[in-house]
Amino acid sequence: MPTILVVDDSRLVTDIVKMRLEMYGYTVQLAHSGEEALEAIAAEPPDLLVLDVQMPGIDGYEVCRRIRENPALDDLRIIMLTSSDDKRAAFEAGVDDYLNKDIDLLNLPNRVRLVLDME
């Protein structure tokens, strides 16, 4: 089963997303900052990153840009799950999909499956 790294500075959000994805059999790891996410990815890249935008320190856009600059991480899929409404900035940073956590959280497992199936 694919491994998903969920990154959000809100522990409540990461716990909810983790519980939701584990219900569908995914292995879920958590990070609570951009720095933690980049360290976890460097240690062992997940199959998918579910990433918030607004975090202290390195924000989600910068995490995404750094991943996309690294050829070794070309296969890493990224879903931005955020309250931000700036879809354009998210796609310019390199995300594969964008979900609004206030509206789309229930659809997350379906979107995860679709993004993981992308060629």
Side-chain angles (χ1 to χ4, degrees), residues 20-86:
R20 184 105 175 106
L21 293 174
E22 285 179 341
M23 287 173 39
Y24 288 83
Y26 294 107
T27 300
V28 180
Q29 300 171 341
L30 303 177
H32 297 99
S33 70
E35 292 87 351
E36 274 186 48
L38 292 171
E39 289 172 11
I41 292 165
E44 185 161 342
D47 299 295
L48 174 73
L49 181 63
V50 175
L51 179 65
D52 187 23
V53 171
Q54 298 174 356
M55 296 180 287
I58 301 172
D59 69 13
Y61 298 130
E62 183 61 22
V63 170
C64 198
R65 281 190 284 273
R66 290 185 188 188
I67 290 168
R68 293 304 183 223
E69 290 171 355
N70 184 343
L73 299 174
D74 281 346
D75 292 337
L76 179 55
R77 300 287 182 217
I78 302 171
I79 295 176
M80 194 156 277
L81 178 66
T82 183
S83 296
S84 171
D85 289 329
D86 198 349

Side-chain angles (χ1 to χ4, degrees), residues 88-105:
R88 181 178 178 187
F91 284 105
E92 286 176 352
V95 301
D96 296 294
D97 202 356
Y98 175 99
L99 297 171
N100 184 299
K101 70 172 85 167
D102 299 327
I103 300 168
D104 297 319
L105 191 56

